[in-house]
Amino acid sequence: MASPIDITKFEHLKASGDLPSPKGVALAIIRLIQQEDSSMGDLARIIKTDPAFVGRLIKAANGLAGYNRRAIASVQEALMVLGLPAVRTLALGFSLLSSYRDGACKGFDYGRYWTGCLVYALAMQAITQRTRAAAAEETFCLGLLARVGELALATLYPQEYGKVLQQTLEYRDVPLVALEQRAFALNHRELASAMLTDWGFPRIFHEPVYFAEVPETSGYADGSREYLIAHSLNLASYIAEVCLAEEAERPNLMGRLFEIGARLAFDPVAVSELCDGVVREWQAWGSLLELETLEIPPFGELASRGEALAASLVPAPAEGAVSQVVHPGHSALLGGEPQLALPPEVPPMRVLVVDDDASMRGLVRKVLETVGHQVLEAHDGKTGMEMALEFQPQLMIVDWVMPEVTGLELTRALRQTKIGRSIYILIMTSLEDDDRLIEAFENGVDDFMNKPINPRVLAARLRAGQRVIRLQQELDRDREEIRRFAAELAVSNRRLQEVALTDSLTGFPNRRYAIERVQQEWLVSSRTRRPLATMVIDVDQFKTYNDTHGHDVGDAVLRQVAASVKGALRAQDIVARTGGDEFLVICPDTGLDAALACAERVRFAVESTPLAMSGQTLNMSVSIGVATRDTVMTEPDALIKRADQALYLAKNKGRNRIMTVQSLRPGPLVPPR
């Protein structure tokens, strides 16, 4: 298990006050959650004092909710979706991001660090949504803070850590943790684990963080939660590395990415889809957090480029490794017959030869090398299965008759896996029985070859197989293009929906949105038995502005009133423009007295903010009707109608005032269930 930092040393570092720590609203949130008698309402009130955190919290909740449910738009809903532990750690992570965007360590790239942590967080969330090893909202926070040990060292020892980072450029073969250990007698892995422990992360999280960079050394049992979390952290970290790599370097990293993903039983297609989703979320979050992000092609495209680059290399021959590829421009002699190399436009394939006869493997290998393919060998069916899943060849040449696992059994087993279904399989046999060949095709074999092998016929069958493989690759690319188009279409549809629900003049939601939202808040009020209030606001004498000054001035008046109203409302209130000069405000969790106080702030804000137009000043005012839900009301329309009645009364009383037709006496605001 882990070798944690000496507790005395950590307490000394903590006592220095220099370790990164939460501040402001985040600290208040963390302290409140630690109190046993704290409530969601208390927490919501603290959160609403920080509009930036409100936006990030709701964004995080919507990331978990997915596209199949109504979008979350209030703090209360976000709290219910995320839960207190995740809110606590989100507050912690976002507070550190805000407070430590830069620092004194010149060699530490703070912007790259934080945008990398964001990718790390989003990747952890996406991975655990598939593995179910932990709650995705908690692993988002874990990913955001998993590298906090590096930030801590840059904060504690800015000059010295800058020198260590410079040494990583000079001594590329020496791990960063070794250089840190030599300089500070501790490293970022130990420090991160200790800090997460101190912040209250459970052991199931803070211990795997120590092993995130080297999960194979953890000793965790395969398939255990600790194993899955440690390897998920490793995969998420590598996804961040790929995203932040130089454009030309990314294709070279794809093989390693797929190898790490395979430890979690993710095939390359699944890894590519996961990473594409992470990149889309990264770009959306980057805008919200003011972090730089990069445009990255689809990962399937990066993988194809990586394969092409690998195919262009000429590795040294080694037993059990990829064989040397003959340059396409060369020719070779085999058995006295000239063999043509691959045409320049045809890329070489990764081929796995599975046969228990070494001489037969050597013969086939020589043919394959001659025409430019890359070759791996397996001496039995079991090894062939393992190598096929690990190296993912495009084509396999398999002997039918082998001890323990026959070629037919190997084919059946491969066809039951997602990776194996895409491999073109050619089986070698000395049997010419038609029934046996039919059996082979029915079990997933694509082609067959009679023994003894004729090199020219084998080369011809390889070319035929390659045509099928190219068609499959084109189909995969088309599917990827369709998936990407579908994702872009979904984004466009969401934007169109936003436009359909938005008033273009004021930027407020429109009447359609307001009606839907009132119904949502009505249901929440019914479920929680919390109060709900509304205000109907009307601009006094608005027709006069249009008639006297023109519609341009009328529009300017509406925009000015909208800005004053928005500035006077609370973070939890929802305002919409429902008519020409009429606005509706929805006030969740608000009784009549609080709604009246809020309405007075709105009225005063409009009255005290005149509009300067072409050398003249226009004074404006509004009349406001206020209502709160009571036991008589049976539907949302009744609540709005009551506020309308109050507005009518305010106008009859002389305008520029607030009115209600309800009593201020205390009583039940929501019917009992």
Side-chain angles (χ1 to χ4, degrees):
M1 289 299 108
S3 302
I5 186 173
D6 179 81
I7 191 64
T8 305
K9 182 187 297 182
F10 179 71
E11 290 299 332
H12 176 72
L13 293 174
K14 185 178 173 184
S16 71
D18 293 330
L19 276 175
S21 59
K23 295 176 174 61
V25 171
L27 187 58
I29 291 170
I30 292 168
R31 287 174 175 169
L32 179 66
I33 292 175
Q34 289 172 340
Q35 299 174 13
E36 293 183 359
D37 58 347
S38 62
S39 68
M40 284 286 193
D42 296 331
L43 183 58
R45 279 188 284 277
I46 291 179
I47 289 172
K48 289 170 186 174
T49 64
D50 185 348
F53 184 61
V54 168
R56 296 165 184 178
L57 188 73
I58 291 174
K59 170 72 176 172
N62 278 308
L64 292 165
Y67 297 115
N68 296 326
R69 57 165 289 172
R70 175 176 61 84
I72 292 163
S74 70
V75 172
Q76 286 87 346
E77 289 179 290
L79 291 177
M80 287 187 283
V81 169
L82 294 169
L84 294 183
V87 171
R88 177 182 183 278
T89 46
L90 276 173
L92 172 64
F94 290 138
S95 174
L96 295 182
L97 190 156
S98 299
S99 302
Y100 296 89
R101 281 184 178 270
D102 50 36
C105 185
K106 294 182 180 179
F108 190 77
D109 190 335
Y110 292 87
R112 182 184 177 87
Y113 168 81
W114 279 117
T115 199
C117 288
L118 178 58
V119 180
Y120 203 148
L122 293 166
M124 276 300 291
Q125 176 178 286
I127 292 166
T128 48
Q129 282 175 332
R130 290 162 172 78
T131 64
R132 307 294 182 186
E137 62 271 21
E138 294 185 16
T139 56
F140 175 95
C141 307
L142 183 65
L144 194 63
L145 297 171
R147 292 176 51 201
V148 73
E150 297 172 42
L151 177 67
L153 288 173
T155 305
L156 290 165
Y157 313 109
Q159 281 73 38
E160 296 86 346
Y161 199 57
K163 294 177 182 177
V164 168
L165 294 175
Q166 181 62 36
Q167 288 173 351
T168 63
L169 303 177
E170 300 171 5
Y171 309 110
R172 295 182 180 274
D173 294 333
V174 181
L176 175 61
V177 289
L179 296 173
E180 291 170 342
Q181 197 73 36
R182 186 172 66 182
F184 311 114
L186 73 155
N187 60 62
H188 68 267
R189 291 170 50 194
E190 296 172 340
L191 194 49
S193 182
M195 292 174 73
L196 295 184
T197 304
D198 185 61
W199 287 333
F201 277 73
R203 181 177 179 181
I204 193 68
F205 288 149
H206 69 71
E207 192 176 77
V209 162
Y210 178 83
F211 292 109
E213 297 171 19
V214 283
E216 63 278 3
T217 67
S218 66
Y220 295 138
D222 287 1
S224 66
R225 284 189 70 200
E226 292 88 346
Y227 175 94
L228 292 174
I229 293 171
H231 283 275
S232 296
L233 287 163
N234 188 238
L235 176 58
S237 176
Y238 200 78
I239 291 172
E241 184 175 334
V242 174
C243 288
L244 296 181
E246 295 293 332
E247 182 179 353
E249 181 62 20
R250 290 189 194 117
N252 297 326
L253 304 178
M254 297 304 294
R256 174 65 176 164
L257 178 67
F258 293 151
E259 179 185 335
I260 297 172
R263 298 172 187 168
L264 293 168
F266 293 165
D267 61 41
V269 173
V271 172
S272 296
E273 291 176 349
L274 182 148
C275 291
D276 289 340
V278 167
V279 169
R280 288 193 294 271
E281 284 294 302
W282 179 37
Q283 291 163 348
W285 270 100
S287 176
L288 181 66
L289 297 176
E290 299 179 355
L291 293 172
E292 183 181 357
T293 60
L294 302 173
E295 291 293 331
I296 298 179
F299 273 65
E301 182 181 323
L302 291 176
S304 298
R305 292 184 198 170
E307 291 173 2
L309 287 171
S312 68
L313 299 177
V314 185
E319 183 66 29
V322 176
S323 299
Q324 184 172 357
V325 179
V326 176
H327 190 276
H330 293 175
S331 62
L333 292 175
L334 182 63
E337 297 183 67
Q339 302 296 317
L340 297 177
L342 287 171
E345 70 276 7
V346 179
M349 293 185 293
R350 295 187 308 279
V351 184
L352 174 62
V353 180
V354 186
D355 197 319
D356 59 325
D357 184 341
S359 60
M360 181 59 68
R361 291 200 310 271
L363 172 63
V364 173
R365 179 174 184 163
K366 194 167 185 179
V367 174
L368 294 170
E369 289 177 351
T370 300
V371 292
H373 296 300
Q374 300 175 1
V375 186
L376 293 167
E377 295 182 29
H379 58 81
D380 59 34
K382 182 179 178 181
T383 305
M385 183 73 179
E386 293 172 353
M387 293 180 69
L389 296 178
E390 182 176 0
F391 296 107
Q392 300 170 32
Q394 296 159 297
L395 183 144
M396 290 178 63
I397 300 177
V398 181
D399 186 28
W400 188 318
V401 180
M402 292 185 290
E404 297 187 15
V405 178
T406 67
L408 207 57
E409 292 170 338
L410 172 59
T411 301
R412 278 199 301 267
L414 282 170
R415 294 311 191 202
Q416 293 173 9
T417 68
K418 191 168 183 177
I419 293 174
R421 285 196 291 272
S422 64
I423 300 174
Y424 190 92
I425 299 178
L426 186 152
I427 198 163
M428 296 185 296
T429 178
S430 57
L431 304 172
E432 298 186 7
D433 187 328
D434 289 346
D435 290 337
R436 297 294 299 278
L437 292 178
I438 292 171
E439 179 188 6
F441 286 122
E442 288 178 344
N443 281 274
V445 169
D446 294 298
D447 199 358
F448 74 96
M449 182 79 185
N450 287 323
K451 290 183 177 180
I453 296 298
N454 182 315
R456 295 179 63 86
V457 174
L458 175 57
R461 289 188 180 273
L462 288 176
R463 287 194 293 273
Q466 196 162 25
R467 284 195 295 270
V468 175
I469 292 168
R470 282 204 305 273
L471 290 173
Q472 181 63 45
Q473 290 173 337
E474 290 173 6
L475 180 60
D476 290 341
R477 284 194 293 270
D478 290 343
R479 286 174 178 166
E480 179 58 36
E481 187 66 27
I482 291 171
R483 280 196 292 268
R484 187 169 60 196
F485 175 74
E488 293 171 354
L489 185 61
V491 171
S492 298
N493 286 339
R494 288 200 296 275
R495 289 174 179 166
L496 288 173
Q497 185 179 27
E498 290 175 2
V499 171
L501 297 175
T502 302
D503 170 51
S504 59
L505 179 64
T506 63
F508 284 174
N510 60 19
R511 180 178 182 83
R512 177 183 165 193
Y513 176 88
I515 297 305
E516 292 179 0
R517 191 57 188 271
V518 169
Q519 292 171 342
Q520 293 169 7
E521 295 300 335
W522 182 274
L523 293 174
V524 173
S525 174
S526 299
R527 186 171 62 250
T528 62
R529 302 190 65 187
R530 303 290 292 174
L532 175 66
T534 60
M535 306 178 207
V536 178
I537 303 173
D538 188 87
V539 181
D540 294 332
Q541 305 290 0
F542 178 69
K543 187 174 184 298
T544 304
Y545 298 113
N546 281 331
D547 293 344
T548 305
H549 303 284
H551 288 282
D552 289 345
V553 173
D555 289 348
V557 167
L558 283 176
R559 285 193 290 267
Q560 178 79 1
V561 169
S564 299
V565 170
K566 183 67 174 177
L569 292 176
R570 304 163 301 176
Q572 72 195 68
D573 300 324
I574 303 106
V575 60
R577 183 185 177 199
T578 54
D581 61 336
E582 191 172 281
F583 301 88
L584 175 69
V585 179
I586 308 166
C587 305
D589 201 14
T590 304
L592 185 57
D593 53 350
L596 288 168
C598 184
E600 174 56 26
R601 287 197 305 274
V602 171
R603 188 206 63 78
F604 179 77
V606 174
E607 181 186 45
S608 59
T609 312
L611 176 65
M613 289 289 294
S614 302
Q616 60 179 321
T617 300
L618 299 180
N619 294 308
M620 298 162 294
S621 66
V622 292
S623 299
I624 306 176
V626 181
T628 189
R629 183 177 181 180
D630 60 27
T631 56
V632 178
M633 299 173 187
T634 58
E635 58 184 4
D637 287 346
L639 177 60
I640 299 174
K641 185 176 181 181
R642 193 68 57 86
D644 268 328
Q645 293 169 350
L647 173 65
Y648 181 78
L649 183 61
K651 286 187 169 293
N652 282 344
K653 291 285 186 180
R655 299 186 176 87
N656 192 22
R657 64 190 63 221
I658 61 171
M659 295 294 295
T660 181
V661 295
Q662 293 173 296
S663 171
L664 288 173
R665 290 177 299 174
L669 299 172
V670 180
R673 290 177 291 182

